[in-house]
Amino acid sequence: MRIITGKYKGRHFDIPRTFKARPTTDFAKENIFNVLTAYLDFEGTTALDLFSGTGSITLELLSRGCSRVVSVELDRDHHRFICECVKKLGDEVCLPLRGDVFRFIKSCKQQYDFIFADPPYALKELPTIPDLIFEKGLLKEGGVFVFEHGKDYDFSGHPNFSEHRSYGSVNFSIFTLAAPAS
């Protein structure tokens, strides 16, 4: 796993072979971040990485200058790996949490400029995640939520849906929370 750009560009981390998580491919990650530059500047933003898996997105967000990154991962070994990677970078603006994403969403009182979620594609609750994010008010006005999912899902009817991008077998739905018109 490698960091695509930013202050840690080119850094590599070897993912243990025992991991069940599939990191977002470099190709898909690079392309979605290129698209996101039209939506926001990561420098100084607050970010939330849900279902962090290997921590690939968390590390990319740190490299791009986010002022705070919260990473939520349930699996103990994956969480430990994310903590080790963050420690190797020496970046202190990251808070890797070990826990259930749905419990985190229900109890979270903070808002974020950017949210990324990459749940297991077979997760039965997967279609409910965009609604949960917006119902719980986790995204700040002007914020962006990127949802990685399988090809069988279509979120274009969601009121906050902005666009869909597909890179091979990786699909991203992008949601935004516009500031109210004055």
Side-chain angles (χ1 to χ4, degrees):
M1 172 177 78
R2 104 185 140 90
I3 298 175
I4 304 293
T5 196
K7 61 184 173 184
Y8 304 124
K9 179 181 179 177
R11 295 283 300 264
H12 286 266
F13 298 90
D14 294 323
I15 301 169
R17 293 177 187 229
T18 57
F19 274 23
K20 302 172 285 250
R22 45 153 182 74
T24 302
T25 65
D26 283 355
F27 175 73
K29 184 169 57 170
E30 185 169 11
N31 280 290
I32 195 63
F33 273 98
N34 284 341
V35 169
L36 291 172
T37 60
Y39 285 91
L40 76 154
D41 178 5
F42 288 98
E43 189 73 35
T45 64
T46 56
L48 175 62
D49 182 11
L50 300 171
F51 304 96
S52 300
T54 62
S56 173
I57 298 299
T58 292
L59 299 178
E60 197 67 44
L61 291 167
L62 291 171
S63 186
R64 290 168 187 262
C66 288
S67 63
R68 180 172 165 79
V69 179
V70 175
S71 171
V72 183
E73 173 56 42
L74 181 61
D75 185 275
R76 179 192 51 183
D77 294 332
H78 295 195
H79 174 260
R80 185 180 312 120
F81 179 74
I82 294 167
C83 290
E84 289 170 4
C85 292
V86 170
K87 186 176 180 182
K88 284 179 186 175
L89 293 178
D91 208 309
E92 301 192 6
V93 300
C94 184
L95 177 61
L97 300 175
R98 181 170 172 249
D100 178 78
V101 166
F102 295 99
R103 284 189 186 150
F104 176 84
I105 291 172
K106 287 178 184 173
S107 65
C108 183
K109 303 293 185 226
Q110 295 180 328
Q111 290 187 314
Y112 299 88
D113 299 301
F114 178 74
I115 300 173
F116 186 93
D118 179 12
Y121 290 0
L123 185 72
K124 68 178 180 166
E125 299 93 350
L126 185 145
T128 68
I129 294 170
D131 285 336
L132 287 173
I133 296 294
F134 289 99
E135 286 169 8
K136 296 297 180 181
L138 298 185
L139 196 63
K140 289 181 183 177
E141 286 182 9
V144 178
F145 167 46
V146 174
F147 191 45
E148 185 174 335
H149 56 82
K151 64 179 174 20
D152 298 332
Y153 295 96
D154 178 6
F155 295 97
S156 61
H158 192 281
N160 297 97
F161 177 83
S162 289
E163 67 176 293
H164 173 263
R165 295 291 178 123
S166 177
Y167 305 104
S169 62
V170 181
N171 289 266
F172 297 103
S173 288
I174 301 172
F175 303 84
T176 56
L177 185 60
S182 51

